[in-house]
Amino acid sequence: MVNNTGGNNMDSSLTDKASKMREALQKSQTITDNVTSILGSFDHRLSALETAMRPTQVFEIDPDSKSRFLKWVWIRIGVLVCMIELSILEHLLCFSSFSVFMLENLRFFGGELIRTNAIRKAHENIDKTLKAAEVILAQFDLLHDAESKILKGPHENLESYLEAIDQLRSTIRFFNNKKGLKSSEAVLSQANSLLAKAISKLENEFKQLLSSYSKPVEPDRLFECLPNSMRPSSGSSGAHRDSGAKHHSEHENDSVDSATFVVPTLIPPRILPLLHDLALQMIQTAHQQQLLQIYRDTRSPVLEESLRKLGVEKLGKEDVQKMQWEVLEAKIGNWIHFMRIAVKLLFTGEKKVCDQMFEGFDSLKEQSFAEVTKSSVSVLLSFGEAIARSKRSPEKLFVLLDMYEIMRELHSDIETIFASEECADIRESALSLTKRLAQTAQETFGDFEEAVEKDATKTAVTDGTVHPLTSYVINYVKFLFDYQSTLKQLFQEFVNSDDNSQLASVTMRIMQALQTNLDGKSKQYKDPALTQLFLMNNIHYMVRSVRRSEAKDLLGDDWVQRHRRIVQQHANQYKRNAWQKILQSLSAQGLTSSGGSSNASVDGGSGSGVSRTLIKDRFKIFNSQFEELHQRQSQWTVPDSELRESLRLAVAEVLLPAYRSFIKRFGPLVESGKNAQKYIRYSAEDLERMLGEFFEEVIGLIFEFEYGKNLRRRFLDNNCKLNVEVREFDGTK
């Protein structure tokens, strides 16, 4: 039983060992299969590595570096192979003797586990090495692909060209992070050289593309972008609208503010994204200055040419001083339109282009815009400065106000468009011109007041009508009231006041200066009656003009009523000076004898104490005086029809009753004698008819006063030149 038991134990032990042997053999077979698989994979990877490392790349690695790299790879592989072979050999030898295996099975299995782990780690190292080599080789593929695209240039396929540059930058970043590779320095040198060439071609492409689509804007296209009310009338040439076709009004600014301007497209929308991408590549390679120069040198001349086609000229103070007023006035009118078109259309359009092309780069965007517009803005503002600094004269006041008004209108646009720090000089220049225009306009007010008061015209109007100086000054003042809001802003440049007190003060001073001058001119007449008629006509013209204009609200009813009384006083003085003498000839005083009564009636051709001879003399004197008055005063003029009729009626009211009374009392005495018609030439009806011929206005004067309300148009567009020389006031019509 003991032996059986011992035998059974031995069999059980052998069974266990056999089982372990089988397991060991199975593991050995598994290891063998794994090793075989590893060697196969290794062979495949070596073949791929050999193929990939063939010198087919345009970018060659330095031969020495490549040799050292391959040598290192092969040594590592050799070491790993030797370790694998040694493990296999030891593994096979361990089965040569079952007994040896049995004695050392514990050592074998422990060593096998260690060797298996080493093989696994070796496999992982080889895999990592091959993957690293594949990544490096992939970068060479990218370099080769990028080079082929860059050598073709950007013109054929710009998007592909830009992608190649991005690939090139990515490769450069890769090798910058692989400074441990000895070949990195050579690769980086070649890649950076290629990038520089690519950017150079990119600059040329940017310049060519920008130049191809940068064309001057034709005037007709700009006019189409204006509101209908501001477009040139059909048949007008250039940009100059018929300035006289419109009257300046306070409502005009409101219409301008509400008008719609359509900003022109300066570069096609489909091209702007391409230009933006090109600019972005240049900025990323620190080529901002080259980009700025190309943009400025391309766009600035185009903008200047657009203005030149429109009619903008580069004129200075000397050029302005040499021009005739009519020519200069037309150029000023054009300049006003040019400023509006430039700011609201061209500069706004250019700002839009810069914003889109340099989006994301604010400093470069604003600097480019400032560089492009600087020259054009300078040309426009220099003309305004030349006008503001030129010799002052009264006729320039209204164009100065127009210029000041357009600068005020465009102020907010200029502040918005040129808001950046880079455009500070442009904003300052525009503001400086606005203030200069305001100052010159204010000084011109003073000059005009002084010129009116000191006008030394010696040639009087012979018919006593309204003097050209009066009509000019009154119309001048009326035109000022078309600029009330503008003048209010202008005066606020110097005096902080919200009311119209400054304009009222200026207007009253001008009116007083005119009256002072008229008083002096009235003394040139030798006939006192004509002196009074002259003053009556001129002051009445002042009053009538004020009553029919906005000046009435400013000067007030007191001024109007006071000057109406002055008109009446001059009318009364005229009657007294012109008709007092002739009325004395119709008086009964001195016709009777010293003992008779002056009221003796005439009966049957005789009267108590009345001398027939004296009666005849009185009729002769009356006839002579009336004919002289008729001859002289029918050449005098009262241009206002109401005043003319009123004055005739006033004369008739004193003359006709006196004449009828005289005829009634003393006419029978003369009629009873011979040649009665010789002495009684006129009936009362004849006198009334002849009085209707007094003060009749000549046709030329009708034109002057009927068109006084349109003087603004003539003042601006020169279709009908003013008859008054503004600066000299020579008094001729």
Side-chain angles (χ1 to χ4, degrees), residues 89-311:
L89 181 61
E90 289 180 356
H91 179 66
L92 294 174
L93 288 175
C94 75
F95 288 100
S96 62
S97 173
F98 179 77
S99 60
V100 174
F101 172 77
M102 293 298 293
L103 293 174
E104 298 181 357
N105 80 77
L106 293 175
R107 183 186 67 81
F108 172 79
F109 285 113
E112 186 68 22
L113 292 173
I114 294 172
R115 291 184 183 87
T116 301
N117 186 54
I119 292 172
R120 186 182 299 109
K121 289 184 177 180
H123 178 273
E124 291 175 356
N125 289 336
I126 292 173
D127 190 60
K128 290 180 180 178
T129 301
L130 292 175
K131 287 182 178 179
E134 287 176 354
V135 171
I136 294 172
L137 293 174
Q139 292 298 322
F140 284 105
D141 288 337
L142 292 175
L143 281 173
H144 175 68
D145 183 55
E147 185 197 33
S148 63
K149 293 179 180 178
I150 289 171
L151 291 177
K152 291 179 181 179
H155 194 66
E156 291 185 4
N157 190 335
L158 180 58
E159 293 183 5
S160 176
Y161 189 86
L162 295 176
E163 290 175 358
I165 292 179
D166 288 335
Q167 289 178 358
L168 191 56
R169 286 201 178 95
S170 176
T171 300
I172 291 173
R173 286 193 298 271
F174 174 84
F175 282 103
N176 275 329
N177 295 326
K178 302 291 182 182
K179 293 294 181 68
L181 295 177
K182 294 184 179 180
S183 60
S184 294
E185 185 175 348
V187 174
L188 286 172
S189 176
Q190 295 184 44
N192 283 320
S193 176
L194 179 61
L195 181 61
K197 294 178 181 178
I199 296 301
S200 177
K201 291 183 178 181
L202 205 62
E203 288 181 9
N204 293 332
E205 179 67 14
F206 179 82
K207 183 177 181 180
Q208 181 179 357
L209 190 62
L210 184 63
S211 299
S212 298
Y213 291 95
S214 293
K215 303 298 180 184
V217 185
E218 295 296 328
D220 288 342
R221 185 175 162 213
L222 288 173
F223 298 154
E224 291 174 356
C225 297
L226 294 171
N228 291 332
S229 60
M230 296 183 187
R231 295 180 185 178
S233 57
S234 59
S236 62
S237 60
H240 180 52
R241 294 174 61 233
D242 181 8
S243 299
K246 73 176 184 68
H247 293 269
H248 184 282
S249 69
E250 291 301 322
H251 300 291
E252 186 178 334
N253 286 338
D254 296 335
S255 64
V256 170
D257 292 339
S258 61
T260 301
F261 294 82
V262 181
V263 179
T265 300
L266 303 183
I267 293 180
R270 63 183 179 84
I271 301 299
L272 279 174
L274 297 179
L275 290 171
H276 170 74
D277 292 341
L278 291 172
L280 180 62
Q281 294 290 348
M282 294 176 65
I283 293 170
Q284 290 177 348
T285 52
H287 283 65
Q288 291 94 330
Q289 290 304 315
Q290 294 91 325
L291 177 63
L292 174 62
Q293 182 177 352
I294 292 172
Y295 188 80
R296 179 194 61 211
D297 294 346
T298 303
R299 292 297 305 166
S300 183
V302 171
L303 183 58
E304 292 175 14
E305 181 65 13
S306 297
L307 291 174
R308 190 195 66 77
K309 285 176 171 285
L310 194 62

Side-chain angles (χ1 to χ4, degrees), residues 447-690:
D447 294 344
F448 181 69
E449 180 184 340
E450 183 178 359
V452 170
E453 185 173 359
K454 295 183 178 180
D455 173 53
T457 302
K458 294 182 179 179
T459 304
V461 287
T462 57
D463 57 359
T465 188
V466 177
H467 197 280
L469 174 64
T470 303
S471 61
Y472 176 76
V473 171
I474 294 302
N475 281 288
Y476 199 93
V477 170
K478 287 197 296 185
F479 301 155
L480 290 179
F481 285 92
D482 288 339
Y483 292 88
Q484 281 198 64
S485 62
T486 301
L487 289 169
K488 185 176 181 180
Q489 290 179 333
L490 186 147
F491 290 131
Q492 286 177 352
E493 300 274 357
F494 309 98
V495 179
N496 188 13
S497 175
D498 292 333
D499 54 25
N500 291 321
S501 58
Q502 289 293 316
L503 179 57
S505 177
V506 168
T507 304
M508 287 185 178
R509 290 201 305 269
I510 292 175
M511 290 294 199
Q512 185 57 50
L514 176 59
Q515 283 185 254
T516 301
N517 189 285
L518 291 173
D519 287 339
K521 284 179 169 50
S522 68
K523 293 179 173 60
Q524 299 175 16
Y525 297 104
K526 295 180 180 180
D527 190 333
L530 186 55
T531 296
Q532 299 301 321
L533 188 76
F534 171 78
L535 292 173
M536 178 196 71
N537 278 330
N538 282 269
I539 296 177
H540 178 268
Y541 181 79
M542 293 169 61
V543 173
R544 186 193 66 171
S545 300
V546 168
R547 288 179 62 192
R548 296 179 179 180
S549 71
E550 296 179 55
K552 178 182 178 182
D553 297 331
L554 199 64
L555 297 177
D557 289 333
D558 290 343
W559 187 94
V560 173
Q561 295 302 325
R562 184 169 66 255
H563 285 77
R564 288 183 69 179
R565 288 194 294 270
I566 293 175
V567 172
Q568 188 59 49
Q569 290 171 7
H570 288 301
N572 294 336
Q573 284 293 104
Y574 156 77
K575 289 189 295 182
R576 185 177 298 109
N577 292 333
W579 299 96
Q580 185 175 13
K581 188 176 181 180
I582 194 173
L583 288 174
Q584 289 176 353
S585 67
L586 297 177
S587 171
Q589 186 178 2
L591 293 179
T592 59
S593 61
S594 58
S597 171
S598 60
N599 294 325
S601 61
V602 179
D603 185 12
S606 62
S608 302
V610 177
S611 170
R612 189 188 299 270
T613 301
L614 289 177
I615 295 297
K616 290 181 178 181
D617 289 339
R618 286 292 184 91
F619 275 111
K620 289 173 62 177
I621 292 172
F622 174 83
N623 292 336
S624 175
Q625 290 179 341
F626 184 79
E627 289 169 358
E628 181 183 354
L629 286 172
H630 178 267
Q631 181 182 5
R632 185 166 64 248
Q633 295 196 28
S634 60
Q635 301 300 315
W636 294 358
T637 300
V638 177
D640 183 79
S641 59
E642 292 183 5
L643 181 62
R644 182 168 60 247
E645 291 302 320
S646 175
L647 192 60
R648 288 171 179 171
L649 181 60
V651 172
E653 286 177 347
V654 296
L655 178 63
L656 296 182
Y659 186 72
R660 289 191 179 99
S661 176
F662 191 82
I663 288 290
K664 183 178 180 180
R665 291 184 62 187
F666 304 108
L669 185 61
V670 176
E671 291 172 350
S672 62
K674 296 181 180 180
N675 301 320
Q677 294 180 350
K678 178 180 178 182
Y679 302 101
I680 305 177
R681 296 180 183 177
Y682 307 105
S683 65
E685 290 72 17
D686 292 333
L687 295 181
E688 186 175 8
R689 176 183 56 78
M690 295 176 72

